[in-house]
Amino acid sequence: MDKGVRCWAARVEKNRAEEVRKRLLKLDILDPRLKPFEKNGFIYFPLKDQEKVDEILRELNVSMVAADFEERPRRPKSLEEILSEKLPRELLDLLPSSYDLIGDIILVEIPRELKPYERLVAEALMKLHPRVKTVLSKEGATRGAYRLREYRVVAGLNRFETIHREHGCTYRVDLRKAFFNPRMSGERIRVARLVSEGEKILDMFAGIGSFSILIARRRPTATIVAIELNPEAYKLMLENIRLNGVEDRVRPILGDCREVLTEIHERFDRVIMDLPHNSIDYLDLALEKVKPNGIIHLYLVGSGEDPVKNARERALEKVQELGFEVDVVYARKVMEIAPRRSTIVLDLRVEAR
């Protein structure tokens, strides 16, 4: 190999390399800046300068030799670092500060001023996240009953389907066909942690099954009815239920929950309403189907200076109009979706009638 950085190295037989690598990592004496290499049946691991290294290697029955190593390329830390010499200085402040990572796809909104440079921005995102294969630009808002939006490939492979992993679960996602929001990850795990043994749960707008499947994985004694209107999202939910091995705990149903629930006569300990723009229109169904002292996780859009207060007032007004009484036991802003508009979660405990 060409001359590089000379330092002490652990010389290890190839069949012991992985075992020794793990030990060197654990002992914090492997130098991450340099690349190990193979030569004549031995693997050479670069070592940090540290006292008693030779003593440690003797205990591992490993030889210490001097060797020349190639430096690992340093991974950039930000879009600005990558693009500082490729974009006009005045545009650097407009680089996206947030984007969505779903499996090996990045979703990003690129400001109008950066459109002439969008390919550069997308390639920089892929450099920042080496496992990403596709960068998609969000085109317009979500629309329609299925909550779909348009996407455009800016860089990478021409595809919209990926495998996304979250909290130990695996989901097949197709962004053209079904809505999925990775920014709800924190809410999904929060709700799953609240579920007690043996609960019956209703997921009224289940999508690809991300709330239901996570709950089923974490609470094997819980049972979930998961309703979804979009046939394509429903197909993905069926596959995701199988992928995660929860067929015995999640009962998927295709259809409009207003129609489906006329045929379901049981009541539930917990109801999930993840349809922020329209959930309040279905609150009557949730209130009818939840048990006394049960919980409704209501996601809705709040606006104005205090979006949490706005959402709370609207929800309580609707509950009163429907003739029920609830306690708001939890309320917070989940994410901002536009200036002065945010997705809010309200956990409503329904009082016995």
Side-chain angles (χ1 to χ4, degrees), residues 145-146 202-207 225-231 234 237 252-264 273 275 278-279 281-286 289:
Y146 298 164
L202 173 61
D203 189 355
M204 290 176 62
F205 314 103
V225 172
I227 304 171
E228 175 52 37
L229 177 65
N230 176 357
Y234 175 75
M237 174 164 56
I253 302 176
L254 174 63
D256 185 325
C257 62
R258 193 168 287 284
E259 297 173 6
V260 168
L261 288 173
T262 61
E263 304 298 321
I264 295 177
M273 303 184 72
L275 190 70
N278 304 99
S279 59
D281 298 329
Y282 295 85
L283 193 51
D284 59 320
L285 290 177
K289 289 298 178 182

Side-chain angles (χ1 to χ4, degrees), residues 46-204:
L47 302 174
K48 295 179 181 179
D49 290 331
Q50 186 173 317
E51 290 183 15
K52 298 187 178 178
V53 167
D54 54 345
E55 186 179 317
I56 292 168
L57 295 184
R58 276 199 302 274
E59 289 175 9
L60 294 174
N61 194 24
V62 169
S63 301
M64 186 167 75
V65 299
D68 296 314
F69 288 90
E70 182 184 345
E71 288 190 82
R72 292 183 187 274
R74 193 180 71 82
R75 193 159 157 190
K77 294 182 179 178
S78 69
L79 283 178
E80 185 172 352
E81 181 183 328
I82 298 170
L83 296 170
S84 60
E85 296 180 3
K86 297 179 181 179
L87 293 183
R89 182 169 296 277
E90 64 272 15
L91 295 181
L92 292 175
D93 288 341
L94 299 177
L95 288 170
S97 57
S98 65
Y99 41 86
D100 295 331
L101 188 57
I102 302 177
D104 58 4
I105 293 176
I106 281 179
L107 308 182
V108 63
E109 291 188 54
I110 296 176
R112 177 177 50 81
E113 296 88 345
L114 283 174
K115 289 292 184 184
Y117 305 95
E118 64 178 7
R119 177 85 182 190
L120 280 176
V121 174
E123 288 172 349
L125 283 168
M126 294 178 75
K127 191 173 289 187
L128 208 55
H129 301 276
R131 293 183 182 178
V132 165
K133 300 293 190 294
T134 302
V135 177
L136 301 177
S137 170
K138 298 177 181 180
E139 304 290 313
T142 56
R143 66 186 193 286
Y146 298 164
R147 299 180 282 172
L148 300 180
R149 78 188 305 167
E150 293 293 326
Y151 298 101
R152 182 169 50 83
V153 177
V154 183
L157 301 177
N158 184 23
R159 63 178 175 79
F160 302 84
E161 189 174 338
T162 188
I163 295 293
H164 181 75
R165 291 179 175 83
E166 180 181 289
H167 305 306
C169 298
T170 299
Y171 304 109
R172 185 174 294 281
V173 180
D174 190 329
L175 295 164
R176 294 166 304 177
K177 298 177 179 178
F179 178 82
F180 178 76
N181 191 343
R183 299 187 189 192
M184 288 293 288
S185 171
E187 271 302 296
R188 288 190 275 269
I189 192 64
R190 181 186 75 86
V191 171
R193 286 170 175 160
L194 293 173
V195 174
S196 301
E197 296 291 336
E199 279 195 23
K200 291 184 177 180
I201 296 160
L202 173 61
D203 189 355
M204 290 176 62

Side-chain angles (χ1 to χ4, degrees), residues 19 21 63 71 77 79 103 108 125 147 195 206 213 251 269 289 310 316 318 327 330:
E19 165 211 339
R21 185 189 69 83
S63 301
E71 288 190 82
K77 294 182 179 178
L79 283 178
V108 63
L125 283 168
R147 299 180 282 172
V195 174
I213 289 166
R251 177 186 168 196
D269 300 288
K289 289 298 178 182
N310 171 259
L316 291 178
K318 184 70 172 180
D327 289 327
Y330 182 83

Side-chain angles (χ1 to χ4, degrees), residues 304-320:
E305 293 295 331
D306 189 342
V308 175
K309 181 181 178 184
N310 171 259
R312 183 188 183 112
E313 289 175 350
R314 286 170 52 227
L316 291 178
E317 184 179 337
K318 184 70 172 180
V319 168
Q320 187 176 20

